[in-house]
């Protein structure tokens, strides 16, 4: 995990970039509209225009739609960065919850909450500080009926004390 080179300690997590561990994850969501699969939100592109084909999208008018990335193992999560749609409908993400944990009970939507997206207020990308929460699953859930969940990118930052 640690390598010392000329007095400098380097942290190495095999196969995981320190900048965004979601890139190595597997994404799923409660439903899919057209071509907008869950994996589009972890493709490494912060392109926020849905029509460009780089955003996930659940079916319309769903109750409690959710999106999840499985990081394949538990990490210490320091932050989750969410990129919303930039072309329209930004308010659709208002009230969404970011949840982190190791349980798949209720599709992972019962895990502890890192934050609530109050309003991104025209800022397409926002970082939520998660205070070193432990978890394998990162969920974004939109509570309520007749909801739509669209995510253009979800990035997951880990702490340096995550196990190798």
């Amino acid at each position: 995990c640690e390598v010392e080179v000329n007095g400098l300690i380097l942290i190495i997590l095999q196969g995981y970039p320190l900048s965004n561990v979601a890139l190595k994850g597997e994404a799923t969501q409660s439903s899919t509209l057209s071509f907008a699969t869950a994996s589009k939100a972890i493709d490494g592109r912060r392109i926020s225009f849905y029509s460009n084909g780089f955003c996930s999208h659940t079916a319309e008018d769903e109750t409690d739609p959710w999106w999840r990335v499985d990081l394949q193992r538990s990490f210490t999560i320091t932050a989750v960065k969410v990129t919303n749609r930039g072309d329209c409908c930004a308010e659709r993400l208002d009230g969404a919850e970011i949840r982190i944990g190791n349980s798949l009970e209720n599709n992972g939507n019962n895990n502890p909450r890192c934050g609530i997206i109050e309003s991104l207020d025209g800022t397409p990308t926002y970082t939520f500080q998660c205070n070193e929460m432990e978890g394998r699953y990162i969920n974004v859930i939109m509570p309520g009926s007749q909801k739509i969940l669209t995510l253009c990118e979800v990035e997951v930052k880990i702490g340096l004390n995550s196990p190798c």
Side-chain angles (χ1 to χ4, degrees):
C1 289
E2 290 185 358
V3 177
E4 187 170 344
V5 179
N6 295 329
L8 180 66
I9 295 177
L10 304 174
I11 307 295
I12 299 171
L13 290 173
Q14 279 188 312
Y16 288 91
L18 281 177
S19 59
N20 180 11
V21 295
L23 292 171
K24 291 266 188 177
E26 291 183 22
T28 188
Q29 59 192 12
S30 54
S31 62
T32 300
L33 181 69
S34 186
F35 59 87
T37 60
S39 63
K40 304 273 183 159
I42 56 168
D43 61 6
R45 300 180 181 113
R46 285 190 204 141
I47 299 169
S48 63
F49 289 85
Y50 176 76
S51 61
N52 288 355
F54 299 113
C55 302
S56 68
H57 197 303
T58 61
E60 296 182 0
D61 298 330
E62 188 177 346
T63 298
D64 301 329
W66 55 268
W67 175 95
R68 179 180 69 236
V69 62
D70 177 353
L71 301 176
Q72 306 301 306
R73 66 185 184 91
S74 188
F75 287 100
T76 301
I77 310 298
T78 58
V80 176
K81 185 181 284 192
V82 175
T83 300
N84 193 6
R85 281 184 76 159
D87 54 346
C88 81
C89 327
E91 72 284 351
R92 286 183 186 168
L93 208 48
D94 293 354
E97 300 177 359
I98 299 168
R99 295 188 170 263
I100 298 172
N102 291 309
S103 172
L104 281 176
E105 179 184 337
N106 189 26
N107 294 304
N109 296 316
N110 291 349
N111 282 320
R113 190 168 56 205
C114 161
I116 298 176
I117 300 172
E118 299 294 340
S119 173
L120 296 184
D121 199 30
T123 305
T125 301
Y126 188 82
T127 301
F128 295 85
Q129 301 303 322
C130 298
N131 299 320
E132 299 193 344
M133 294 177 73
E134 291 291 327
R136 172 177 175 167
Y137 305 106
I138 312 300
N139 282 50
V140 179
I141 179 171
M142 175 57 70
S145 60
Q146 296 188 321
K147 299 290 185 175
I148 298 168
L149 182 61
T150 304
L151 299 165
C152 292
E153 194 66 22
V154 176
E155 301 167 65
V156 179
K157 312 296 182 180
I158 62 170
L160 294 180
N161 60 347
S162 284
C164 292

